[in-house]
Amino acid sequence: MTKWFDTNYHYLVPEVGPDTRFALLHQKPVAETREATAAGVSTRPVIVGPITYLLLSKSTAPGFNPIEKLDELVAVYVQLLSELKAAGAKWVQIDEPALVCSRPFDLSASVDRVYSRLTEGSDRPKILVATYFGYPGVALQTLANAPIEGIALDFTASARDCNLADLRHIGGLGEKRLVAGVVDGRNVWAADLEREYKLLVELRSLTSDLVVSASSSLLHVPIDVDLETDLEPTVRPWLAFAQQKLSEITNLTLALNEGVVEIADVIANNAQILESRRTSPLTRRDDVRSRSAAVTSASAQRKSDYATRVQMQREALQLPLLPTTTIGSFPQTTEVRNARAALRKGEMDEATYERRMRLEIDRVVRLQEDLGIDVLVHGEPERNDMVQYFAEQLDGYVFTNNGWVQSYGSRYVRPPIIAGDLSRPAAMTVRWSEYAQSVTSKPMKGMLTGPITMLSWSFVRDDQPLAETARQMALALRDEVNDLETAGIRVIQVDEPALRELLPLRDEDRPEYLKWAVDSFRVTTSGVGDATQIHTHMCYAEFGDVLDAIAALDADVISIEAARSGEVLLDELRGYDYRNEIGPGVWDIHSPRVPTKQEIVGHLQRTLEVLSPNQVWVNPDCGLKTRAYPETEASLQAMVAAAQEVRSTL
Ligand code: GLN
Ligand code: ZN
């Protein structure tokens, strides 16, 4: 399972090899179309396009690229189109979002071949090819030349200018239908109806068949703002979830068909809402803005370089070679969850809750001491979720009661919304870390979620560059890092598991993103003294192609998922001169399976072929929150024993 482009929705990755045979087995789209037709509903089935399907597939054989199977796969699509037509479909939408991503090879010939083949003959519905999450670039020309009947394009901020320029450049689509994604299918904000109307008027000169739409599936947004009766009344009208986006689409369509006067009052109201958002004290805080404007390169720079810091940290922490640690969370027991729920419902008072959490911290500290772990964690029992927990304590966020969006299968998340300028009114984690440090003489790691991960698992503002939101977030978190240090915490971890998730889909946009992403981490962590050890943690992705950015974070230590991805990280590190300390995960925490000591020893030995002994930390792939205690204890025992065994050979 992996994330669908740069969204937080997951899909199962198909695995395709030289011997894979394709056949149409699954009848769902055809059966549902037939059912709709029988009920008198004319529907447009949506299927993943063959190019996207194969580009997202994983090869099962070295040297084989799934795209080589394109012609074989297209034969099945020909059959599917014919069955959809028989079921009553007049149009079919074929999604090819992969066309908006940079590729090392040119896809035009494939696009041309596939869509010529699919349009041969008349035993098929009309074909609409949809691209979204960006602009398709040169592939647009190929699609425009193909004998398909329609093209859907993304006209939201990131793609708008390019798609418009490219459409003009190719002289429009003539008779082809243009489905214009002017309403953002991925954010939660009300559209600027006047601006979109003007764009649509221009687009009307580039096709004789214009359809107003959302830029992508509405799967990525919650359903209905009207359900959010607890939202601040000033903020609520700024928002548009799926239901409101549909109204935007029908209003814009009405304006195009009947004249803009038909929606004059809607536009006036919309303009007022946008103005209220622009001028609200929530979205413009002078103190936050002037602080952010004052950030310089010095704010993103530790006092000394790593070579100097590492000496001071070794002196201060006195750790053995191959120090052991964990990523932060310990199993969240039913008692812990119940206590949190009781506090939320007002059934438990603050004092009782704090006592319960402290007992849990005591238990987790004792366990780690008994196991002989070197750098301890407090276990994060007080956190419902690593983003939500901080969002609730930052100014500038708003929350929904019902704003669930699908993550995968039956799993939903409810992302908090960054609506305004961000700041931290009071310390968020200090009392927990301080308490945890007070019950042990071993170093206790402070534990924070980093700025990029905060952004990527929240809904973000669309009224300022993401880089600016990241800088505000970094400054708020920097205050927390500094306060942890003042409270005596000597090791502070800033988690950035999502660093790679926001990586732009096109190569040309990546350097700029990586620059501000790295800067935001550095601003967060650069306020502390040289002897304070900054850790970061990453997981959920293969990081080989962003190693430069990881090195540029200049974290003293990184713990990074490695076991789950079959140690590809070690191969990536082999040719890379990584200087700081690093703990490639030694076991995959996504399964309850307990690793043997021998297996971890093997892992460490392979790690030591690539990295020097005084650079390597020993830790699991990720946090232990979703695991149960018995397997956690057994696994940690094996980990510590393996570290001791390998240590004794050094
Ligand atoms: N500190 C967090 C934890 O251990 C990190 C979680 C994550 O990387 N997703 O739970
Ligand atoms: Zn992780």
Side-chain angles (χ1 to χ4, degrees):
M1 200 152 60
T2 195
K3 289 192 178 186
W4 178 247
F5 298 88
D6 53 354
T7 75
N8 278 318
Y9 177 73
H10 298 72
Y11 66 99
L12 284 170
V13 180
E15 293 184 356
V16 176
D19 301 328
T20 303
R21 294 215 188 298
F22 299 103
L24 189 59
L25 300 176
H26 195 54
Q27 284 301 316
K28 190 169 187 277
V30 176
E32 288 179 347
T33 305
R34 202 178 295 123
E35 185 183 345
T37 306
V41 177
S42 167
T43 182
R44 185 180 74 208
V46 179
I47 54 181
V48 172
I51 295 172
T52 295
Y53 182 89
L54 291 175
L55 287 176
L56 296 187
S57 296
K58 196 167 143 181
S59 168
T60 58
F64 170 79
N65 189 332
I67 200 75
E68 292 168 32
K69 287 275 176 182
L70 194 54
D71 291 332
E72 284 173 53
L73 178 61
V74 167
V76 179
Y77 274 76
V78 170
Q79 184 194 346
L80 175 61
L81 292 185
S82 141
E83 293 191 16
L84 285 172
K85 175 165 181 171
K90 302 267 182 297
W91 280 86
V92 62
Q93 175 178 327
I94 304 185
D95 281 359
E96 293 284 18
L99 295 180
V100 310
C101 303
S102 298
R103 298 283 161 196
F105 44 87
D106 182 15
L107 282 170
S108 303
S110 302
V111 173
D112 185 45
R113 212 168 65 240
V114 166
Y115 288 96
S116 305
R117 174 87 177 85
L118 290 181
T119 47
E120 268 168 23
S122 56
D123 187 19
R124 60 171 182 89
K126 291 182 180 169
I127 293 177
L128 169 71
V129 176
T131 65
Y132 46 83
F133 302 154
Y135 56 96
V138 288
L140 178 58
Q141 173 83 69
T142 316
L143 288 173
N145 291 341
I148 54 176
E149 285 76 19
I151 301 175
L153 296 174
D154 181 340
F155 285 98
T156 59
S158 60
R160 180 185 191 100
D161 294 345
C162 291
N163 269 334
L164 187 58
D166 289 348
L167 270 181
R168 282 202 203 106
H169 179 73
I170 65 176
L173 294 183
E175 308 269 275
K176 266 197 186 61
R177 172 171 291 187
L178 172 61
V179 174
V182 293
V183 169
D184 197 328
R186 294 191 46 192
N187 77 15
V188 291
W189 304 104
D192 180 338
L193 292 179
E194 188 161 11
R195 190 186 64 190
E196 302 318 334
Y197 175 73
K198 285 187 184 142
L199 172 64
L200 288 165
V201 168
E202 168 145 30
L203 291 175
R204 196 153 51 179
S205 67
L206 294 164
T207 169
S208 59
D209 183 4
L210 180 64
V211 173
V212 185
S213 187
S215 61
S216 67
S217 163
L218 296 174
L219 164 84
H220 308 291
V221 292
I223 293 174
D224 189 358
V225 178
D226 290 345
L227 301 175
E228 300 303 330
T229 46
D230 290 348
L231 261 181
E232 242 187 280
T234 44
V235 175
R236 190 137 61 107
W238 303 352
L239 295 167
F241 296 170
Q243 197 68 43
Q244 288 67 38
K245 287 175 190 289
L246 296 182
S247 300
E248 293 175 344
I249 291 168
T250 49
N251 276 321
L252 289 166
T253 305
L254 183 67
L256 280 178
N257 289 338
E258 312 286 336
V260 70
V261 290
E262 289 292 320
I263 64 159
D265 50 339
V266 176
I267 288 196
N269 185 41
N270 174 249
Q272 217 165 47
I273 288 166
L274 298 178
E275 178 64 11
S276 108
R277 185 174 166 208
R278 242 185 324 264
T279 54
S280 157
L282 184 62
T283 59
R284 310 228 117 242
R285 276 189 39 189
D286 291 342
D287 55 338
V288 174
R289 285 179 179 257
S290 50
R291 188 175 176 206
S292 166
V295 167
T296 60
S297 55
S299 334
Q301 191 69 49
R302 296 284 296 270
K303 292 175 185 62
S304 306
D305 62 7
Y306 175 70
T308 309
R309 298 191 315 255
V310 70
Q311 297 312 325
M312 300 176 69
Q313 291 165 18
R314 287 199 177 133
E315 185 75 14
L317 296 170
Q318 296 291 327
L319 298 171
L321 273 182
L322 308 183
T324 51
T325 192
T326 60
I327 308 305
S329 56
F330 265 69
Q332 289 238 337
T333 59
T334 321
E335 300 87 83
V336 166
R337 286 176 208 278
N338 287 349
R340 228 182 10 244
L343 176 74
R344 201 179 51 236
K345 289 190 209 129
E347 290 160 7
M348 185 183 281
D349 61 36
E350 286 275 353
T352 315
Y353 175 77
E354 294 269 330
R355 244 185 345 264
R356 289 281 174 85
M357 294 299 124
R358 286 181 170 211
L359 284 174
E360 185 65 19
I361 291 172
D362 292 343
R363 183 160 96 115
V364 169
V365 168
R366 190 112 348 103
L367 173 64
Q368 295 170 90
E369 286 183 331
D370 290 349
L371 286 163
I373 291 178
D374 300 305
V375 172
L376 309 196
V377 296
H378 78 289
E380 305 178 26
E382 77 289 6
R383 302 188 189 173
N384 41 3
D385 170 274
M386 66 185 289
V387 167
Q388 180 85 7
Y389 180 77
F390 291 95
E392 281 171 1
Q393 301 186 74
L394 291 169
D395 283 347
Y397 266 100
V398 299
F399 305 91
T400 66
N401 289 324
N402 306 288
W404 299 97
V405 292
Q406 191 180 12
S407 166
Y408 60 86
S410 61
R411 238 186 96 80
Y412 283 69
V413 294
R414 191 161 42 109
I417 300 171
I418 301 175
D421 285 345
L422 292 163
S423 71
R424 184 204 70 148
M428 305 183 282
T429 64
V430 175
R431 70 183 193 287
W432 302 114
S433 292
E434 204 172 15
Y435 174 73
Q437 182 67 85
S438 77
V439 295
T440 181
S441 56
K442 297 230 172 149
M444 173 60 59
K445 260 199 288 195
M447 195 63 59
L448 305 175
T449 301
I452 299 301
T453 302
M454 289 298 296
L455 258 48
S456 70
W457 298 346
S458 302
F459 282 115
V460 291
R461 301 172 68 160
D462 65 345
D463 58 348
Q464 67 184 16
L466 206 48
E468 173 56 24
T469 308
R471 186 159 43 221
Q472 293 182 2
M473 183 70 80
L475 288 167
L477 294 170
R478 177 184 173 103
D479 294 342
E480 186 73 10
V481 171
N482 294 351
D483 284 354
L484 282 168
E485 182 186 55
T486 306
I489 304 299
R490 293 168 295 161
V491 181
I492 301 168
Q493 178 173 313
V494 177
D495 290 328
E496 282 293 25
L499 180 79
R500 210 185 171 294
E501 278 173 30
L502 288 186
L503 193 67
L505 300 176
R506 299 193 82 94
D507 291 339
E508 58 268 34
D509 302 328
R510 291 182 174 191
E512 192 195 332
Y513 161 72
L514 288 170
K515 168 90 180 72
W516 62 254
V518 166
D519 269 357
S520 71
F521 181 88
R522 295 177 60 128
V523 166
T524 303
T525 53
S526 290
V528 295
D530 288 337
T532 296
Q533 189 170 63
I534 295 292
H535 287 223
T536 187
H537 163 69
M538 279 172 211
C539 55
Y540 299 133
E542 286 167 14
F543 290 98
D545 56 352
V546 292
L547 278 180
D548 284 335
I550 292 177
L553 298 177
D554 199 26
D556 298 306
V557 183
I558 178 172
S559 56
I560 184 163
E561 177 181 297
R564 180 158 112 112
S565 36
E567 298 182 0
V568 284
L569 177 77
L570 295 183
D571 293 332
E572 308 276 6
L573 284 170
R574 199 178 298 275
Y576 195 90
D577 184 23
Y578 192 80
R579 298 287 172 86
N580 300 14
E581 293 177 30
I582 174 167
V586 295
W587 98 84
D588 174 11
I589 56 80
H590 290 91
S591 116
R593 194 183 143 271
V594 175
T596 62
K597 178 180 89 172
Q598 227 26 61
E599 165 183 342
I600 298 180
V601 166
H603 191 96
L604 289 173
Q605 284 165 342
R606 287 189 295 280
T607 303
L608 289 168
E609 286 166 16
V610 181
L611 296 160
S612 106
N614 54 27
Q615 221 183 348
V616 174
W617 283 64
V618 183
N619 47 256
D621 263 359
C622 190
L624 303 165
K625 187 173 180 172
T626 56
R627 297 270 58 90
Y629 263 105
E631 77 236 22
T632 296
E633 282 185 45
S635 302
L636 288 172
Q637 212 159 25
M639 181 183 91
V640 172
Q644 274 158 359
E645 183 173 317
V646 177
R647 204 179 275 159
S648 69
T649 67
L650 294 173

